[in-house]
Amino acid sequence: MTDEDRADDDREVVVQIDDADAFAGEPDGLQRLWTPHRMAYIGGQDKPTDSAPGVGCPFCRIPTLPDEQGLVVTRGPAAYVVLNLYPYNSGHLLVCPYRHVPDYTDLTPDEVADIAGLTQTAMRVLREVLAPQGFNLGMNQGDVAGAGIAAHLHQHVVPRWVGDSNFLPIVARTRALPALLADTRARLAAAWPTDSKG
Ligand SMILES: [Zn+2]
């Protein structure tokens, strides 16, 4: 990535995404996909300023809140599932370990297993509730890779529909309505199988 590309990154990402269909394969897929939902952080007033564990870290704070307030969909033994406050798409979920660790290699085997299991169930529940036609799963490791909150690992589960990239210029610049997020959270939580809550 050249300095020129980096300088253009924040401003022209939406245009780049529309052009992505023209590429063979997806050599730039992660960068193009994961940058848009950060637009809210880049211009927003809720960008976390403190990456220390505890109150300053949203992923440490969320599990201390009631599910409805924190937009928590379900809680496992080592990780939990939360609706992204800055969604790339409707139903954009994050699977986070409770522990404040930045790197995938920091996870214990129990945390790896819980995150993987919750990710599988999240896909099943999203298919049932929102009927997406595909998914993007991924973790951004480090600021340079596009992590909005690099200090606390989180796995994105992004449902995809044919043609949804046409709406990126809209969703990337518009904050999701809290009422809509609350409704989506309630629907996903109700559909979550009780035997997988850990
Ligand atoms: Zn944290």
Side-chain angles (χ1 to χ4, degrees), residues 55-79:
V55 181
C57 172
F59 295 136
C60 287
R61 191 168 63 89
I62 286 167
T64 70
L65 302 172
D67 286 358
E68 292 78 6
Q69 189 179 341
L71 295 175
V72 173
V73 175
T74 194
R75 300 168 191 251

Side-chain angles (χ1 to χ4, degrees), residues 30-46:
L30 282 175
Q31 181 189 350
R32 288 165 197 275
L33 172 64
W34 299 122
T35 306
H37 77 271
R38 295 186 60 218
M39 297 292 283
Y41 277 133
I42 291 165
Q45 35 184 276
D46 294 336

Side-chain angles (χ1 to χ4, degrees), residues 50-61 63 80 97-101 149 151-153:
D50 182 1
S51 61
V55 181
C57 172
F59 295 136
C60 287
R61 191 168 63 89
Y80 67 96
Y98 296 114
R99 219 156 50 88
H100 185 89
V101 291
I149 303 172
H152 195 137
L153 179 76

Side-chain angles (χ1 to χ4, degrees), residues 75-183:
R75 300 168 191 251
Y80 67 96
V81 180
V82 63
L83 216 58
N84 191 352
L85 192 58
Y86 308 95
Y88 166 79
N89 238 347
S90 179
H92 180 169
L93 297 176
L94 303 172
V95 184
C96 312
Y98 296 114
R99 219 156 50 88
H100 185 89
V101 291
D103 200 271
Y104 192 62
T105 61
D106 294 327
L107 295 175
T108 67
D110 284 348
E111 288 168 335
V112 170
D114 202 24
I115 289 170
L118 288 169
T119 300
Q120 287 186 321
T121 307
M123 290 175 63
R124 295 185 185 111
V125 169
L126 285 166
R127 282 194 175 115
E128 180 183 329
V129 175
L130 297 173
Q133 293 151 319
F135 291 92
N136 288 105
L137 307 178
M139 302 182 192
N140 299 321
Q141 296 281 271
D143 292 323
V144 71
I149 303 172
H152 195 137
L153 179 76
H154 49 284
Q155 161 131 301
H156 295 263
V157 180
V158 184
R160 300 299 304 270
W161 291 266
V162 171
D164 60 7
S165 61
N166 296 338
F167 296 98
L168 272 177
I170 299 170
V171 299
R173 292 170 182 167
T174 307
R175 289 283 296 277
L177 294 172
L180 188 61
L181 288 170
D183 176 65

